[in-house]
């Protein structure tokens, strides 16, 4: 019977396993000068060790896979949280920029309106001066015409 599952009949080792056993027998003979047989209890120990190691490796693989899954889930949660935080920061920054731009635009509009009002006042003042000068010129022209008429009348009257 197999040591891995007592309900299964003994299986003949595959060719690779038989070659490995032969290699091990040769290596022991070479290093220690002792010839062991295929039925030596040391091979049962090796088989038991191999079975225990395979089980331990499988348990470790299962544990590593579980840890990887947990880490992936945790990383996904952290990524989602970071994305939300990033979106909040970007939204707040955009709102702040919008507020600053609106304030700067309002300030600029006030400055432009003040400058236009000052120029309009200057233009009105210039227009008022031009109108006053025109009126003075008209009065002067009227006085000049009146003086010319009076001079003509005096000239005709004295002639």
């Amino acid at each position: 019977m197999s040591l891995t599952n007592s309900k299964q009949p003994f299986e003949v080792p595959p060719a690779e396993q038989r070659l490995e056993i032969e290699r091990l027998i040769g290596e022991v003979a070479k290093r220690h000068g002792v010839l062991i047989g295929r039925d030596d209890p040391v091979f049962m120990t090796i088989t038991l060790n191999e079975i225990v190691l395979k089980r331990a490796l499988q348990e470790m693989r299962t544990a590593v896979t579980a840890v990887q899954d947990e880490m992936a889930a945790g990383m996904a949660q952290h990524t989602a949280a970071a994305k939300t935080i990033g979106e909040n920061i970007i939204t707040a920054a955009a709102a702040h920029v919008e507020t600053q731009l609106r304030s700067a635009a309002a300030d600029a509009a006030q400055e432009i309106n003040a400058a236009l009002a000052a120029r309009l006042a200057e233009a009105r003042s210039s227009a008022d001066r031009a109108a006053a000068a025109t009126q003075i010129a008209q009065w002067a022209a009227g006085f000049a015409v009146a003086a010319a008429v009076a001079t003509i009348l005096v000239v005709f009257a004295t002639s």
Side-chain angles (χ1 to χ4, degrees), residues 1 10 16 24 30-31 33 51 55 58 75 80 124 130 147-148 155:
M1 294 197 152
F10 178 76
E16 298 96 29
L24 291 172
K30 185 169 105 178
R31 288 187 189 184
I51 291 169
R55 284 183 185 165
Q58 184 56 43
M75 287 173 37
R124 283 186 181 152
V155 169

Side-chain angles (χ1 to χ4, degrees), residues 67-125:
V67 168
Q68 286 174 332
D69 292 345
E70 287 177 28
M71 288 177 66
M75 287 173 37
Q77 288 176 344
H78 288 295
T79 300
K83 182 179 176 184
T84 300
I85 290 169
E87 288 171 350
N88 291 341
I89 289 171
I90 290 170
T91 301
H96 178 71
V97 168
E98 178 186 10
T99 301
Q100 294 300 316
L101 286 174
R102 287 184 187 275
S103 176
D107 291 347
Q110 282 181 329
E111 288 180 25
I112 291 169
N113 285 336
L116 286 174
R119 294 233 174 154
L120 182 60
E122 287 176 19
R124 283 186 181 152
S125 176

Side-chain angles (χ1 to χ4, degrees), residues 56-70:
L57 283 173
Q58 184 56 43
E59 288 174 7
M60 283 193 264
R61 284 186 190 114
T62 301
V64 167
T65 301
V67 168
Q68 286 174 332
D69 292 345
E70 287 177 28

